[in-house]
Amino acid sequence: MIAAMKKEIFLRKDELQNKNLHSLYFGGGTPSILSVDEINSIIDEVLKHFSFEKDIEITLEANPDDLDKSFVRELSKSHINRLSIGTQSFFEEDLKLMNRAHNASEAESSIKRAQDFGFENLSIDLIYGSPTSNLAIWKENLNKTIALEVPHISSYALTVEPKTALENWISKGKVANPKEEEQNEEFYYLSDFLKDNGFDHYEVSNFAKPGFYSRHNSAYWKYKEYLGIGPSAHSYNGHDVRSWNVANNQQYIKKLNSNILAKETEILSQKDQFNEMIMIGLRTIWGVDLESLNNKFSNKILDTFQNDIKSKVSEGILVIENNHLKIPEKHWFMADGIASDLFIV
């Protein structure tokens, strides 16, 4: 797999216009099962074809149970300077429901261990709205997070995916179905609590202390170009081309062994580009740059859009600030639904 990924980096090195990278992200799965030597070898391959900005952000997604003392010690000597830890919860019942490999003790100790070895730029994932939780437990999760001095939090409502153990348990009455009204309440408590503790709510699901915004994810939300390497990885040229790699590991390796890229490409129509800009932009504090829309899209699209936003602006569901269209934060829990109402179909 690593040899195939290195081959892909070489074959696609000219796809990025900017050869000076400001972020590198190991994610989309369980990259923490790699050894530090393997991680370093991938970074070394990247450095053969690209340069790093002086303050580049290099993130590794990690499961708490992978972050033992030996691994974290070696990581601290590598190029990795940011960890995104899949904590999910500090409560045993939540973790069992989510079928996580780590326990509540590891959820906490993995964070402390990373800090002990000098990792200040940490992000953790937290899940709210679980049927094994309630507002009181959610408050304890957040209090624990503040006590641990984690500077970045990504938080999501528990969703029930088809053909999962959770869906099966719910269908058999073993577990209650998550309630949207409770998730709504926990979302807004989360937002208010973290803001009171010095965090910026800069994207619907993301919160950061000043100076700790995820540079990599912010690039996605600002429509910057990016190159994705490995099975299932997605790429974007910053304009009108998206591509994605085959998900199957063996197919991916087989094609790269034959110097064939294992990817499919899509040319985005004006309609697709518009809908993406609306969906992504309205999830952030930056909103949608109306000047960019006017420069990029046809009058036919813009006229429809202007008609669609009038009533929502008058109702206060949307606002225009400094020529940027935004959703007021009190409506962020419904951001995707509000954005989809503005899509061009």
Side-chain angles (χ1 to χ4, degrees):
M1 175 63 73
I2 293 170
M5 290 174 67
K6 289 179 180 179
K7 178 71 69 67
E8 186 183 7
I9 293 168
F10 170 74
L11 293 174
R12 302 184 67 188
K13 64 184 184 299
D14 295 324
E15 287 188 29
L16 285 182
Q17 297 297 310
N18 186 358
K19 298 290 186 181
N20 190 28
L21 305 184
H22 79 290
S23 72
L24 186 63
Y25 197 100
F26 288 82
T30 51
S32 54
I33 65 171
L34 294 173
S35 71
V36 175
D37 284 344
E38 289 168 332
I39 292 168
N40 285 336
S41 75
I42 295 172
I43 294 175
D44 288 342
E45 184 65 30
V46 175
L47 278 167
K48 289 180 184 177
H49 314 290
F50 299 91
S51 60
F52 288 172
E53 285 192 4
K54 194 173 183 179
D55 61 345
I56 186 171
E57 172 192 278
I58 305 182
T59 303
L60 177 77
E61 284 190 357
N63 291 326
D65 45 302
D66 289 331
L67 293 174
D68 60 39
K69 187 173 182 179
S70 174
F71 185 65
V72 177
R73 179 191 290 112
E74 291 306 306
L75 271 182
S76 70
K77 301 172 186 175
S78 73
H79 285 284
I80 301 294
N81 55 25
R82 183 176 185 268
L83 294 178
S84 177
I85 304 174
T87 306
Q88 315 303 359
S89 174
F90 295 103
F91 283 84
E92 210 68 55
E93 290 304 309
D94 289 345
L95 296 172
K96 287 178 181 176
L97 179 79
M98 298 175 212
N99 199 28
R100 301 299 296 180
H102 66 279
N103 58 37
S105 174
E106 287 173 319
E108 182 174 350
S109 63
S110 63
I111 295 167
K112 291 180 176 177
R113 190 174 299 117
Q115 292 168 329
D116 288 344
F117 280 97
F119 285 99
E120 296 180 0
N121 197 352
L122 294 178
S123 177
I124 66 170
D125 290 347
L126 290 176
I127 302 294
Y128 59 89
S130 164
T132 51
S133 184
N134 54 43
L135 184 59
I137 290 174
W138 182 230
K139 288 179 178 180
E140 287 190 53
N141 262 320
L142 294 176
N143 283 326
K144 174 74 73 176
T145 302
I146 295 301
L148 288 168
E149 299 183 340
V150 175
H152 188 283
I153 296 159
S154 297
S155 192
Y156 309 93
L158 182 74
T159 55
V160 183
E161 299 296 338
K163 299 179 181 178
T164 60
L166 180 57
E167 184 192 47
N168 185 43
W169 294 337
I170 289 171
S171 69
K172 292 180 177 179
K174 293 181 179 179
V175 175
N177 210 2
K179 294 181 174 64
E180 185 174 303
E181 61 270 22
E182 292 178 3
Q183 292 185 335
N184 187 323
E185 181 183 18
E186 291 179 13
F187 171 79
Y188 285 111
Y189 180 84
L190 161 75
S191 179
D192 291 341
F193 178 81
L194 290 182
K195 284 189 292 182
D196 287 345
N197 282 277
F199 285 77
D200 296 334
H201 191 178
Y202 73 110
E203 194 268 350
V204 169
S205 301
N206 285 272
F207 305 79
K209 291 285 185 74
F212 288 94
Y213 288 25
S214 169
R215 193 180 303 178
H216 193 84
N217 289 340
S218 295
Y220 294 152
W221 303 325
K222 294 180 179 180
Y223 328 113
K224 305 292 186 183
E225 63 170 349
Y226 54 87
L227 180 62
I229 302 296
S232 297
H234 284 59
S235 303
Y236 176 52
N237 74 343
H239 301 288
D240 60 353
V241 179
R242 288 199 183 277
S243 65
W244 56 95
N245 288 344
V246 63
N248 182 278
N249 288 355
Q250 294 307 316
Q251 289 181 33
Y252 172 82
I253 292 169
K254 185 177 179 180
K255 287 196 173 188
L256 266 302
N257 283 346
S258 301
N259 292 320
I260 300 170
L261 291 175
K263 68 173 182 140
E264 295 183 52
T265 298
E266 174 188 18
I267 306 298
L268 300 174
S269 66
Q270 283 262 303
K271 179 181 74 175
D272 292 333
Q273 293 175 59
F274 177 86
N275 291 346
E276 283 196 6
M277 289 184 74
I278 295 299
M279 173 61 81
I280 296 170
L282 288 180
R283 289 181 59 89
T284 73
I285 56 170
W286 306 293
V288 179
D289 185 342
L290 295 177
E291 184 177 353
S292 292
L293 288 186
N294 288 330
N295 292 335
K296 191 175 180 69
F297 298 106
S298 67
N299 287 335
K300 182 180 179 181
I301 287 178
L302 293 171
D303 289 346
T304 302
F305 171 65
Q306 291 295 342
N307 289 331
D308 287 344
I309 68 172
K310 280 181 182 176
S311 62
K312 283 183 166 51
V313 169
S314 65
E315 293 168 19
I317 296 172
L318 291 171
V319 295
I320 298 174
E321 297 176 354
N322 299 320
N323 211 27
H324 283 70
L325 185 71
K326 302 178 182 181
I327 298 175
E329 196 175 344
K330 64 182 179 180
H331 298 303
W332 268 18
F333 189 71
M334 304 303 295
D336 289 349
I338 294 169
S340 66
D341 287 345
L342 303 177
F343 287 176
I344 303 298
V345 295

